[in-house]
Amino acid sequence: MELPRQLTQIRQFRGYSVAQLAEKLRVPPTLVTTWEAGIHYPSLQAILGLSRILNVPVRRLVQADLGRMRQELRGKNPHRDTDLLLALSLFFGFSWVPVLLVWRHWPWVLGVPLSLWLGVMGLVWHLDGRAHRSDRQHYREILGYFAGQDVATLWQQRLRHRERWVVAGSYALLLVVLGVLGGLMVNQQ
């Protein structure tokens, strides 16, 4: 990616610190730092703001990355490693089922922590996937912008994707509740 290097150079050339640029963009300084470090790609809205504040054409900021964006969007599974981590976690979690069925006090000793652990792993998987989807959504917005799509329409599409985090939180909470309820039912017997 070229944007992180260019953003750092242009920001320094214009005499802005990370904090000053973040203040002008009305974003946290850590967000600007993640852009400059190449951890996350800025949204179309942020790129338009950067273009305006730094007095640089949008095309100059992202031109070198457009081919990479197209290639990334054609990829099948951008977070394959995270999927593998989740699969291994689920395998490990379910490998304890025979022990848990035989042992009388399993709900409190292993069941609840195991349920919490599986819930956390599911949440980690979702959050990692969300970060990858967020970057991919930024790429779609930027490519759509250069294809002549309306910026307001692109922004509304982004809002639909932000609501997905509720699914991950619900999944984790459900696992915790099921683990606790299972523990209570077995303990009462």
Side-chain angles (χ1 to χ4, degrees):
M1 286 190 317
E2 289 294 315
L3 179 76
R5 185 182 56 76
Q6 284 185 345
L7 181 57
T8 304
Q9 288 176 349
I10 295 169
R11 175 185 58 76
Q12 290 172 345
F13 179 75
R14 298 283 191 236
Y16 289 111
S17 69
V18 169
Q20 290 170 329
L21 182 59
E23 185 179 325
K24 288 196 171 281
L25 286 169
R26 296 181 185 191
V27 299
T30 54
L31 188 57
V32 175
T33 302
T34 62
W35 298 338
E36 289 187 355
I39 297 170
H40 293 293
Y41 210 84
S43 67
L44 176 60
Q45 184 179 19
I47 288 176
L48 293 172
L50 288 167
S51 171
R52 181 181 43 78
I53 292 166
L54 298 174
N55 196 22
V56 176
V58 173
R59 186 165 291 280
R60 179 173 172 216
L61 285 173
V62 299
Q63 182 67 41
D65 296 334
L66 291 176
R68 186 185 152 287
M69 288 178 195
R70 287 184 187 98
Q71 183 179 14
E72 177 83 19
L73 289 175
R74 279 188 232 124
K76 297 285 184 206
N77 190 354
H79 51 283
R80 185 184 72 223
D81 296 339
T82 309
D83 288 347
L84 180 62
L85 175 66
L86 179 65
L88 290 173
S89 298
L90 289 174
F91 174 75
F92 174 75
F94 287 117
S95 69
W96 280 88
V97 169
V99 173
L100 299 177
L101 291 175
V102 177
W103 195 18
R104 183 168 183 234
H105 300 289
W106 72 266
W108 298 111
V109 177
L110 291 174
V112 173
L114 185 61
S115 298
L116 289 172
W117 181 69
L118 287 173
V120 168
M121 291 309 295
L123 186 60
V124 166
W125 174 75
H126 177 75
L127 291 176
D128 183 67
R130 181 177 169 208
H132 287 290
R133 282 190 303 276
S134 178
D135 283 346
R136 290 169 61 94
Q137 182 62 31
H138 292 167
Y139 299 161
R140 279 188 206 95
E141 289 175 0
I142 293 164
L143 292 171
Y145 174 80
F146 283 109
Q149 292 180 355
D150 180 41
V151 174
T153 304
L154 293 168
W155 183 248
Q156 286 176 345
Q157 290 172 353
R158 163 167 278 289
L159 292 178
R160 282 187 290 134
H161 293 286
R162 286 189 177 187
E163 296 170 359
R164 291 183 180 172
W165 71 269
V166 174
V167 174
S170 301
Y171 169 74
L173 184 62
L174 177 66
L175 283 176
V176 169
V177 169
L178 288 175
V180 171
L181 288 177
L184 291 173
M185 288 181 358
V186 170
N187 242 6
Q188 289 179 355
Q189 294 176 352

